[in-house]
Amino acid sequence: MLPIFYDTLALQFIQRLDDIVFAVSKMEVLGIRMQKATMSPYFNTPFQREKGNHFNWKTRTLLKTLYFINLAVFITCMVVVTGRQVSGYYQCESITASWGDEIWRKAIVMWPQDSLQYPPGLVERMVLAYDYFDGVYVKDGSRTMNGRPIYIEMKKSDRTPFDMVAPSVNPYHHDGSGSYAIDPVKPAIIKYCEGRWILSHEYILKSTDETVSMGISIHLI
């Protein structure tokens, strides 16, 4: 639906621009050749010349100025809106996702090669509850996909980014004992792919092929 809206807006812009150029050409603003081209008869049916539309030079100058101001304002607005669209000015800075209570019973999970918590590269099937990925997703300002923003999952506790390095000491052992090795949490992402928004995670696959990651189709309003 959105592409149709943009196509209609572009068509209206071209029609408006054509009308303005035709009108100012008739007033000799764009030169005598353009005036002759717009005033020359190209119809088999003769048209009666309208009477009473002869303006003096002051009126013609005022009309020319108004047409140019109108055109300049119109083009400026289009340039500003287009520039803001390209820069992502109108995009949401964050979204709150709620995936419901659906469950994927045989999700394929492949742990990374540098995993400390699991055998590196281990592939196993697990039960995946979609609501595990509920929460706030913030726009990644450094990358996009297909011209659309990528949203990264935040912590559920304070809505800040996940730590890049996991703790190496159990925080519940105040004496410093109980060292353990766990993997840092890898956040899920929401991205635009092939005409739809999808939820994706680097460790969760749709098949045993390592190149096919999870892609849950969603609708963003």
Side-chain angles (χ1 to χ4, degrees), residues 104-119:
W104 186 1
R105 296 188 179 279
K106 294 184 179 180
I108 302 174
V109 178
M110 184 179 67
W111 301 107
Q113 296 295 334
D114 57 351
S115 176
L116 302 175
Q117 190 174 356
Y118 302 94

Side-chain angles (χ1 to χ4, degrees), residues 12-189:
Q12 291 178 349
F13 171 73
I14 297 298
Q15 290 176 341
R16 180 63 176 166
L17 184 62
D18 180 71
D19 293 339
I20 293 175
V21 172
F22 185 79
V24 297
S25 297
K26 291 172 61 177
M27 299 167 58
E28 200 182 339
V29 176
L30 301 180
I32 299 178
R33 292 183 60 184
M34 289 294 293
Q35 184 189 36
K36 290 182 178 180
T38 54
M39 300 296 291
S40 299
Y42 287 98
F43 305 95
N44 295 326
T45 303
F47 291 87
Q48 296 292 334
R49 177 181 292 274
E50 298 181 0
K51 297 180 180 180
N53 290 333
H54 300 285
F55 304 108
N56 56 35
W57 68 271
K58 292 184 178 180
T59 304
R60 289 198 300 268
T61 303
L62 177 62
L63 290 176
K64 293 177 183 179
T65 303
L66 291 177
Y67 271 116
F68 272 116
I69 293 176
N70 185 26
L71 179 62
V73 171
F74 190 74
I75 293 178
T76 301
C77 293
M78 290 296 297
V79 170
V80 171
V81 171
T82 302
R84 288 186 172 184
Q85 287 178 334
V86 174
S87 64
Y89 178 83
Y90 299 109
Q91 296 169 351
C92 297
E93 294 296 325
S94 64
I95 57 177
T96 301
S98 178
W99 310 111
D101 56 357
E102 295 186 16
I103 295 177
W104 186 1
R105 296 188 179 279
K106 294 184 179 180
I108 302 174
V109 178
M110 184 179 67
W111 301 107
Q113 296 295 334
D114 57 351
S115 176
L116 302 175
Q117 190 174 356
Y118 302 94
L122 173 66
V123 177
E124 58 182 340
R125 290 188 178 271
M126 302 177 62
V127 176
L128 172 64
Y130 290 161
D131 59 4
Y132 178 80
F133 299 104
D134 287 356
V136 175
Y137 290 72
V138 175
K139 184 175 71 172
D140 186 348
S142 62
R143 53 177 178 161
T144 60
M145 186 169 186
N146 297 327
R148 306 294 177 89
I150 295 177
Y151 294 93
I152 304 177
E153 182 186 11
M154 298 287 110
K155 292 180 182 179
K156 294 177 175 57
S157 57
D158 54 6
R159 299 184 178 184
T160 58
F162 287 99
D163 299 327
M164 300 298 295
V165 179
S168 59
V169 178
N170 192 330
Y172 298 103
H173 289 202
H174 302 288
D175 58 356
S177 62
S179 299
Y180 55 28
I182 61 174
D183 296 329
V185 176
K186 188 71 174 182
I189 62 174

